[in-house]
Amino acid sequence: MQEIIIQVMNQFGYFGVAFLIMIENVFPPIPSEVILTFGGFMTTYSELGIIGMIIAATIGSVLGALILYFIGRLLSVERLEKLVSGRLGKVLRLKPEDITKTEKWFLKRGYATIFFCRFIPLIRSLISIPAGSAKMKLPSFLILTTLGTLIWNIVLVCLGAALGDNWEMIAGILDSYSSVVVVILGIIFILAILIFVKKRFFPKNKNYSSDTEK
């Protein structure tokens, strides 16, 4: 994978960087740390510049985020409510009100989430889907996404340029960081499922507890 990324960047320059970063946003397993740090290294031996590299990477990031945002729009809250109000909702023990509450929570806290999640591997891409589903205002989404990805790109491209031939060291560190994040997210996901199952299928019997107190 790394060899293909480097080959594309060497051959197509800024366009290759923008394309790869766009694909990385849609398919998170593609490592952005390799693209960005090697992109920074490229500026030390080619005609490509740091500013141009950052701009190309940011354009690619925003385009990829927009693709996932509009996929989220297809999975609108209204459609999810219709699905939940049917047989699927009974199986999952979900109500349309649950979807509405989730949407309100995202609209209340989602703006900060969109920005800060741009610094978390895997989540930095997938966060665009709930933003679209909750119909977050597109201008706000674009501004926060651009700012978050711009900072991420500046840091990694500049690190790659500063380290030169040792750019892979940063990629390796970030790869370990990504692995740790994935493990933590997996644990959180499992805990969330357990809590959900407990609340939905094993609710506390308030009537029973009140009768025992009497």
Side-chain angles (χ1 to χ4, degrees):
M1 175 67 74
Q2 182 170 315
E3 293 180 359
I4 295 174
I5 290 173
I6 292 173
Q7 186 177 356
V8 170
M9 292 174 66
N10 277 322
Q11 187 171 353
F12 298 102
Y14 294 135
F15 293 102
V17 172
F19 174 76
L20 288 171
I21 289 293
M22 181 185 71
I23 298 299
E24 180 268 335
N25 271 264
V26 179
F27 302 101
I30 297 177
S32 65
E33 58 270 17
V34 171
I35 302 170
L36 296 172
T37 51
F38 180 74
F41 170 55
M42 283 182 68
T43 63
T44 65
Y45 70 84
S46 68
E47 296 181 355
L48 302 177
I50 290 178
I51 294 178
M53 191 66 67
I54 292 170
I55 292 174
T58 303
I59 290 173
S61 297
V62 173
L63 289 176
L66 280 173
I67 292 173
L68 293 181
Y69 173 85
F70 285 110
I71 289 175
R73 291 290 290 237
L74 295 176
L75 300 172
S76 64
V77 174
E78 290 77 11
R79 291 186 179 183
L80 291 174
E81 286 179 342
K82 287 181 180 179
L83 288 172
V84 168
S85 60
R87 192 170 184 177
L88 181 63
K90 292 180 180 179
V91 173
L92 299 176
R93 294 205 175 187
L94 285 172
K95 300 178 181 178
E97 295 79 25
D98 296 327
I99 304 298
T100 304
K101 289 178 182 178
T102 303
E103 180 196 20
K104 289 180 179 179
W105 180 91
F106 187 86
L107 291 175
K108 186 177 180 180
R109 299 180 176 84
Y111 291 90
T113 303
I114 289 296
F115 176 78
F116 288 108
C117 280
R118 294 297 164 187
F119 309 108
I120 304 175
L122 187 64
I123 296 299
R124 64 190 300 270
S125 300
L126 299 180
I127 192 62
S128 301
I129 296 177
S133 180
K135 293 184 179 178
M136 183 179 187
K137 293 181 179 179
L138 186 57
S140 299
F141 175 79
L142 285 174
I143 291 172
L144 292 168
T145 297
T146 302
L147 288 175
T149 54
L150 181 62
I151 294 172
W152 176 262
N153 295 339
I154 288 173
V155 171
L156 294 189
V157 170
C158 289
L159 282 174
L163 291 174
D165 291 334
N166 297 317
W167 66 272
E168 287 183 289
M169 182 177 69
I170 295 298
I173 293 172
L174 288 174
D175 184 58
S176 299
Y177 166 63
S178 300
S179 299
V180 172
V181 170
V182 169
V183 171
I184 293 173
L185 290 175
I187 294 172
I188 293 173
F189 179 71
I190 292 172
L191 290 175
I193 291 177
L194 292 175
I195 293 171
F196 172 80
V197 170
K198 182 179 179 182
K199 286 185 177 181
R200 291 293 178 181
F201 296 96
F202 303 99
K204 291 182 180 179
N205 195 325
K206 295 182 180 180
N207 294 330
Y208 175 77
S209 60
S210 61
D211 290 339
T212 54
E213 289 176 1
K214 292 179 181 179

